[in-house]
Amino acid sequence: MPSTKNKIGLKFDGLEEMIANLEKIQGNLKATTEKALKASKERVNAELRQVTIPANFPAHGKYSTGKTAQSIDTDMSVSWDGTTASIKIGYDMQISGMTSIFLMYGTPRHKPPMKAVRKMYNAIYGSKMKKEIAEIQREVFAAEIRQKMGG
């Protein structure tokens, strides 16, 4: 799950082999890729909704406007750059501004506010989430191959 600027793409062990198998049985690689990326984003968003709560914010959310939770990116559009597909994840800065960045990374004068806010970072960039996303993507491809083969 290489992530650049809050985007994820396809990455799991055996991806090349699954792509070759899908192409052999004339499966729709583009549609399967988009389905895998959308399923990945759904998992990230579910985690973000769970951790983007006032109890995890500094001062237990006393100063929270709720915009950070409202800014979880729900756009399920997959972008294609040649043969590389990606989907945006995380928070929409048009809604929340820099708040999510400050919560996850701190500010030039302050360290990240508290350990609980680390959950927001981990929901997007954490190794556990990367493993979950790889498994989701692998399963989407495997299910598509099974379905196409009639099983």
Side-chain angles (χ1 to χ4, degrees):
M1 175 181 118
S3 184
T4 57
K5 298 291 181 192
N6 291 353
K7 291 182 181 181
I8 54 175
L10 286 180
K11 185 174 183 189
F12 59 87
D13 290 338
L15 173 62
E16 294 80 14
E17 184 180 334
M18 285 209 177
I19 288 172
N21 288 339
L22 191 61
E23 288 176 337
K24 274 186 214 169
I25 57 174
Q26 298 170 346
N28 188 332
L29 179 58
K30 184 175 181 179
T32 304
T33 297
E34 290 187 3
K35 186 175 181 180
L37 290 175
K38 289 175 183 179
S40 300
K41 181 171 181 162
E42 287 171 4
R43 175 64 190 103
V44 170
N45 281 0
E47 187 70 14
L48 285 174
R49 282 190 296 275
Q50 206 169 34
V51 300
T52 308
I53 56 172
N56 286 341
F57 296 167
H60 297 287
K62 179 178 176 183
Y63 305 104
S64 173
T65 63
K67 282 189 177 181
T68 305
Q70 294 166 8
S71 73
I72 295 170
D73 187 332
T74 58
D75 179 8
M76 297 304 261
S77 302
V78 174
S79 300
W80 287 87
D81 183 13
T83 58
T84 303
S86 62
I87 193 166
K88 289 182 182 178
I89 58 170
Y91 300 95
D92 184 336
M93 299 300 175
Q94 300 295 329
I95 297 170
S96 66
M98 297 291 290
T99 305
S100 62
I101 301 297
F102 293 151
L103 286 169
M104 289 190 288
Y105 296 100
T107 69
R109 294 181 182 214
H110 299 284
K111 292 181 180 177
M114 59 194 291
K115 189 176 180 180
V117 178
R118 186 79 181 160
K119 293 176 184 178
M120 292 170 63
Y121 178 90
N122 288 339
I124 299 171
Y125 304 108
S127 60
K128 181 180 174 198
M129 182 57 68
K130 288 179 182 181
K131 288 177 186 171
E132 285 185 45
I133 287 173
E135 189 52 41
I136 287 167
Q137 293 175 352
R138 180 186 350 271
E139 183 49 42
V140 168
F141 270 77
E144 186 66 23
I145 291 168
R146 282 193 305 270
Q147 188 262 339
K148 191 74 176 158
M149 292 178 74

